[in-house]
Amino acid sequence: MPEAPGRPDLEGLAARAVAGDADALEQLCRELQDLIYRLALRFSSDPEAAADATQEILILVVTHLSEFEGRSKLTTWVYTIASRYLLRTVRGPIELSVAGPEPFADWIDRNLAPTPADHFDEATFRLLAGEVRLACTYGMLLALTRDLRITYLLGDLIGLPDTEGAQALGITRAAYRQRLARARRTMRSIIADRCGLVDRANPCRCDRQIDSSIDYGILDPAHPTFSTLPGAHPPIPADTLDTAARQLDTATAIAEIYRSDPEFRAPERVWETLQRACPALTG
């Protein structure tokens, strides 16, 4: 498949890096770190844990780069390393707080306010509604088991075909497709007759979950989780909602919502830690 316009030749950068080109190695790591960070953030819903995981995954990529044989795209090879690392990580408090799809959906139903919160100024209201949208949709991901979550991320959000997804997870293509189907069924069970992002007839709106999210400590208006991250942008565009609403399948619709997420970037400390960990490789 030809490279997308403007996209660096990652395979070429990798070859030059292995040959000793420090500038190519730095450019490669800076290109990869944001891809890895976004995967880790969606997997954990925790920016600090995602940054730590990104650092460790990049170290693995750098120290094993000479083993990349070019039998797949470099990004597939990196997602393989990242996925297997994430599946081994210890579950953090945010992940542990989501007990599964049924309790998560029940919490949403029980804590839906009859009207939007009306005691914030317009700018704060929009920011908090955007925070709730990300916290809720990322919470949906945490409601999936880890095996289903990483499969859903690779398949529906990143868009790996079954050949590459199965390779990344070390399973058969049939097993990969089965996991993806189960993940979609679980997502549908959470979204069905509930999420207004994918169907305007559904009752749940992000702005009606602001107060309950604050009450439960999910949302801190003074210290928003997502809006201050590198690469954050204003909440979901209206045309994305229109595209999602036209989808016939709710699992496809929610994937459209996820693809509208901000292009979060890895914190600069990720690269700084990599330099300290691998000084001979990064200069």
Side-chain angles (χ1 to χ4, degrees):
M1 180 181 297
E3 295 288 342
R7 175 183 168 184
D9 175 11
L10 299 182
E11 288 75 16
L13 286 173
R16 287 163 49 201
V18 170
D21 186 332
D23 290 338
L25 180 59
E26 176 172 353
Q27 185 181 353
L28 179 67
C29 289
R30 289 190 179 276
E31 291 291 339
L32 294 176
Q33 66 180 5
D34 294 341
L35 299 179
I36 297 169
Y37 181 72
R38 286 192 284 270
L39 176 67
L41 182 61
R42 284 165 164 164
F43 187 83
S44 66
S45 196
D46 183 337
E48 289 300 309
D52 291 341
T54 302
Q55 292 166 185
E56 297 301 320
I57 293 165
L58 272 175
I59 290 171
L60 289 172
V61 168
V62 168
T63 54
H64 292 274
L65 191 57
S66 61
E67 300 173 15
F68 175 64
E69 299 177 342
R71 296 178 181 175
S72 65
K73 291 189 293 188
L74 183 77
T75 49
T76 301
W77 182 76
V78 171
Y79 282 134
T80 299
I81 294 173
S83 298
R84 295 179 187 183
Y85 177 88
L86 291 170
L87 289 170
R88 295 194 303 268
T89 56
V90 176
R91 288 171 171 81
I94 296 177
E95 185 176 1
L96 291 171
S97 70
V98 180
E102 292 82 9
F104 182 80
D106 179 64
W107 187 92
I108 291 174
D109 294 340
R110 287 187 291 103
N111 290 282
L112 181 64
T115 58
D118 59 1
H119 44 278
F120 300 100
D121 62 64
E122 182 66 18
T124 301
F125 175 80
R126 289 183 178 277
L127 182 148
L128 294 180
E131 284 284 315
V132 169
R133 195 270 291 183
L134 287 166
C136 185
T137 53
Y138 280 38
M140 292 180 196
L141 294 172
L142 294 182
L144 298 170
T145 64
R146 283 188 156 197
D147 284 350
L148 297 187
R149 190 187 318 154
I150 197 67
T151 304
Y152 184 74
L153 290 173
L154 295 177
D156 275 8
L157 275 65
I158 294 172
L160 294 188
D162 60 358
T163 50
E164 296 178 24
Q167 177 184 338
L169 298 180
I171 58 178
T172 66
R173 293 171 63 186
Y176 180 81
R177 290 193 296 269
Q178 290 167 2
R179 285 187 190 179
L180 186 55
R182 289 201 300 272
R184 288 169 175 166
R185 284 197 299 271
T186 302
M187 294 296 284
R188 290 186 194 107
S189 72
I190 299 172
I191 299 164
D193 304 321
R194 186 171 286 113
C195 180
L197 292 173
V198 300
D199 186 343
R200 291 183 177 84
N202 287 342
C204 190
R205 297 291 186 276
C206 302
D207 54 16
R208 293 169 63 186
Q209 294 284 3
I210 291 175
D211 286 337
S212 57
S213 297
I214 294 172
D215 291 342
Y216 279 87
I218 298 169
L219 175 63
D220 180 354
H223 301 94
T225 298
F226 298 103
S227 301
T228 56
L229 294 179
H233 61 56
I236 185 169
D239 58 347
T240 299
L241 292 178
D242 292 338
T243 302
R246 289 195 296 269
Q247 302 294 332
L248 298 179
D249 184 278
T250 54
T252 306
I254 198 64
E256 190 72 38
I257 300 296
Y258 284 118
R259 283 190 286 273
S260 77
D261 283 354
E263 291 292 309
F264 291 123
R265 299 191 302 272
E268 186 61 24
R269 72 177 176 89
V270 170
W271 173 251
E272 293 169 354
T273 300
L274 182 65
Q275 285 182 304
R276 291 195 296 271
C278 307
L281 294 173
T282 60

